[in-house]
Amino acid sequence: MPMLVVPGRASAVSGFRLTALLAKLPFPTGAITSIDAHHVHFLDIADTTDIAALHAAALANEATGVWSVISTLLCGPGEGGLAPKAPILLNSQEERPDPNERRIWVLPRSGTISPWSSKATDIFHLCGLRDVVARVERGVVYRLEFAKGFAPDFKLSEHRLVIEAGSDRMTETLYDQCPEAHEVFAHAAKGRPLRAVGIHAGEKLVEPI
């Protein structure tokens, strides 16, 4: 399952919210020297598309062809002319961060499709990309810079206070690095057939609908 990971061009979270988040994280005052956040878009690329060529076009920021359409659709309000906040990745090949830096990737829960994804995918398909992009999803990447000697030696995505501060546990999942395509685009398990259940004593279940 080929995937293209395209970072946003502007901050995804206001300074006020970042300050509030910083206060909730389980680290002493001064341990984190800077924090920022940007959106990141995940594109489930069709197997018939030359993913290497598309990635090269993205890196070159070509002004024509398929990439130009994708780039325009992913450009949010006020982002025109800005450079991506991070490198455009092929699949999940994230470069190793600085030893004092940690990243938290916040995405919709695996196996679900967010309302944003449903609408964005429809727009992509209406713009002639149905045979190129099967689905689009969006998340947020938080980048935390720690003072020397304060970088944690545990996974932030598994720490209870980090999970509670940085995500909605009912609808989102945290990762310490860029997730794999199968984690982002996993399909929800097929639901069971709808059944009607009798509410009166001794009444039997009716047949599945």
Side-chain angles (χ1 to χ4, degrees), residues 100-144:
N100 293 318
E101 180 182 314
R102 296 292 184 273
R103 297 169 187 168
I104 305 174
W105 297 66
V106 184
L107 275 75
R109 290 190 69 88
S110 183
T112 67
I113 300 177
S114 70
W116 185 94
S117 174
S118 297
K119 189 64 177 179
T121 301
D122 286 345
I123 293 173
F124 267 64
H125 291 174
L126 288 171
C127 290
L129 297 174
R130 182 179 298 274
D131 295 332
V132 178
V133 179
R135 185 177 146 205
V136 189
E137 188 54 271
R138 184 177 72 169
V140 175
V141 179
Y142 291 88
R143 188 189 65 83
L144 288 71

Side-chain angles (χ1 to χ4, degrees), residues 20-43:
L21 172 63
L22 195 59
K24 297 177 182 179
L25 295 176
F27 304 107
T29 302
I32 298 176
T33 59
S34 70
I35 179 172
D36 59 53
H38 63 268
H39 282 122
V40 61
H41 308 94
F42 300 86
L43 281 65

Side-chain angles (χ1 to χ4, degrees), residues 43-204:
L43 281 65
D44 181 5
I45 304 299
D47 292 332
T48 53
T49 298
D50 187 341
I51 182 67
L54 181 59
H55 184 223
L59 294 178
N61 196 24
E62 293 183 359
T64 59
V66 171
W67 169 250
S68 66
V69 179
I70 292 175
S71 179
T72 300
L73 292 175
L74 294 181
C75 187
E79 291 187 349
L82 299 178
K85 285 280 190 176
I88 297 173
L89 306 179
L90 178 59
N91 297 318
S92 58
Q93 297 171 358
E94 182 183 9
E95 60 185 18
R96 185 180 298 275
D98 183 275
N100 293 318
E101 180 182 314
R102 296 292 184 273
R103 297 169 187 168
I104 305 174
W105 297 66
V106 184
L107 275 75
R109 290 190 69 88
S110 183
T112 67
I113 300 177
S114 70
W116 185 94
S117 174
S118 297
K119 189 64 177 179
T121 301
D122 286 345
I123 293 173
F124 267 64
H125 291 174
L126 288 171
C127 290
L129 297 174
R130 182 179 298 274
D131 295 332
V132 178
V133 179
R135 185 177 146 205
V136 189
E137 188 54 271
R138 184 177 72 169
V140 175
V141 179
Y142 291 88
R143 188 189 65 83
L144 288 71
E145 186 75 27
F146 287 85
K148 188 175 182 179
F150 282 93
D153 57 1
F154 57 84
K155 290 185 176 182
L156 296 181
S157 64
E158 297 178 356
H159 194 289
R160 179 180 60 83
L161 294 179
V162 176
I163 295 173
E164 292 177 353
S167 68
D168 180 343
R169 299 181 67 175
M170 294 293 292
T171 61
E172 296 175 322
T173 301
L174 269 62
Y175 301 89
D176 287 282
Q177 58 189 16
C178 183
E180 300 285 345
H182 68 86
E183 296 174 299
V184 179
F185 298 114
H187 295 291
K190 187 177 181 180
R192 297 178 180 177
L194 178 66
R195 296 189 302 171
V197 181
I199 60 175
H200 299 292
E203 188 172 347
K204 295 183 179 179

